[in-house]
Amino acid sequence: MRGLAPYQTGLWLAEYMDMRCQLCRIYRSTPQSQLLRHQAPSSLHNIVDAPPTRTALKKHSFLTNIVHQANSHLSSGLLCAHCHNDITWLPRPFEVDIAPSISLSIQASTYYEYPIRQSIRAFKHQEDMTKLPLLLHAIRQLPRPHGCHRNNSVIVAMPTTSQRLVKRGFDPVSILSAQLSKYWQIPLWQGIKRIDDTVSQQGLSRAERLSNLDNAFALIEKPPTKRLLLFDDVSTTGASLQALARAFISPTAIKSVTDSGHNSYQISAYVLAHGSKS
């Protein structure tokens, strides 16, 4: 598999050298702060013009902080404010069962529809590097899980099979998960592999997906921590992440956790896109 350097170079150029929005291609630098000021100018300006009472000062400080955080967030993004606001971010998390009384929460950054759907497909199947900056912007919408940091958590990217890796020549999920790792400042862990006798999940029903993924993953080493953050590019039914999570609650995995002094793994999942708004 080729290294990450070419991807890193392309993203660096898109973020720091190309000041155009990665979606509409209109200049994305100055208009962001202007658009943010237009979103809530009246309340902020009214407070500024109001007598400097204690309440007014508190409200002014609060709103100023909000505007500052939003401006800082968008200025570090790769879309203009208009395109950013045009895409609905952070759908409600959904859950799948991985064991009796144990469920896996899956949080997506956005919906699997235009323009994210086309960008993911182009990147995965054609290695279209021009789509990667938009996907990076989407990844940055995922909030780092509360309490997780580099010393107590690891990111577990959805493994691919060696057959698929040879066919594609690269692993798109590993590229995306490396960006999430960099953004969250949480290391990747690659101690689980995918068995080669499974087929692609695309086009399968939920029952077929679950059957196809029976025993699809195998641990090759013990996780270094009990907080596991699973990551995949797209989740339709959650079957792949469900099967991946189950690999960590198998009898063998449970024994390794007990031996290491942990009571259980704390597993949650994150994806680039899920379902649609309709």
Side-chain angles (χ1 to χ4, degrees):
M1 182 177 70
R2 293 188 291 277
L4 300 182
Y7 300 93
Q8 287 295 126
T9 302
L11 289 172
W12 186 86
L13 291 173
E15 186 159 18
Y16 299 107
M17 302 299 291
D18 186 359
M19 288 295 102
R20 293 173 297 174
C21 171
Q22 295 297 314
L23 192 53
C24 70
R25 305 306 294 165
I26 296 176
Y27 190 65
R28 62 179 166 90
S29 179
T30 335
Q32 293 178 10
S33 57
Q34 295 175 353
L35 285 173
L36 283 169
R37 284 199 297 271
H38 292 162
Q39 289 174 4
S42 58
S43 59
L44 185 57
H45 291 167
N46 287 341
I47 290 173
V48 173
D49 296 334
T53 64
R54 181 175 299 179
T55 301
L57 289 174
K58 285 184 178 179
K59 289 181 179 179
H60 174 254
S61 176
F62 175 72
L63 286 178
T64 301
N65 187 47
I66 290 178
V67 172
H68 174 73
Q69 289 179 358
N71 187 35
S72 174
H73 174 68
L74 282 179
S75 65
S76 66
L78 290 156
L79 301 185
C80 66
H82 176 76
C83 288
H84 174 88
N85 294 330
D86 232 14
I87 301 176
T88 302
W89 303 105
L90 291 178
R92 287 181 177 273
F94 67 102
E95 295 186 348
V96 294
D97 294 329
I98 57 176
S101 71
I102 302 178
S103 61
L104 174 71
S105 174
I106 303 176
Q107 173 68 67
S109 69
T110 188
Y111 291 102
Y112 188 58
E113 52 188 33
Y114 179 84
I116 296 295
R117 178 177 62 241
Q118 287 76 4
S119 297
I120 291 176
R121 288 177 176 176
F123 177 59
K124 287 180 65 173
H125 303 300
Q126 303 166 24
E127 201 173 358
D128 186 346
M129 288 294 299
T130 65
K131 306 303 181 186
L132 188 53
L134 173 59
L135 303 184
L136 173 59
H137 186 92
I139 285 173
R140 289 177 176 175
Q141 310 315 308
L142 289 169
R144 182 168 60 182
H146 179 70
C148 292
H149 50 78
R150 64 169 62 250
N151 297 322
N152 69 357
S153 309
V154 292
I155 297 173
V156 183
M158 178 64 66
T160 189
T161 65
S162 56
Q163 293 176 350
R164 198 170 302 166
L165 186 57
V166 169
K167 181 179 179 179
R168 278 185 177 157
F170 82 118
D171 182 7
V173 175
S174 72
I175 301 296
L176 297 172
S177 62
Q179 297 305 316
L180 182 63
S181 172
K182 181 179 178 182
Y183 181 63
W184 279 354
Q185 293 294 297
I186 294 176
L188 288 170
W189 177 75
Q190 300 175 319
I192 189 166
K193 66 177 182 178
R194 188 161 188 165
I195 310 303
D196 276 325
D197 59 359
T198 57
V199 300
S200 172
Q201 292 286 87
Q202 293 184 7
L204 301 182
S205 68
R206 177 166 178 79
E208 291 171 333
R209 288 169 182 258
L210 290 172
S211 176
N212 179 50
L213 290 168
D214 284 342
N215 303 313
F217 302 97
L219 285 174
I220 55 179
E221 63 181 69
K222 185 172 65 177
T225 178
K226 66 177 182 177
R227 295 193 180 188
L228 309 177
L229 312 176
L230 313 186
F231 176 79
D232 202 0
D233 55 355
V234 178
S235 180
T236 305
T237 65
S240 295
L241 289 166
Q242 182 181 38
L244 180 60
R246 283 176 173 170
F248 294 100
I249 61 172
S250 65
T252 303
I254 291 175
K255 183 179 185 303
S256 70
V257 175
T258 304
D259 292 344
S260 65
H262 298 312
N263 294 324
S264 63
Y265 289 122
Q266 298 176 16
I267 310 175
S268 54
Y270 302 84
V271 295
L272 206 54
H274 163 68
S276 65
K277 288 182 285 187
S278 57

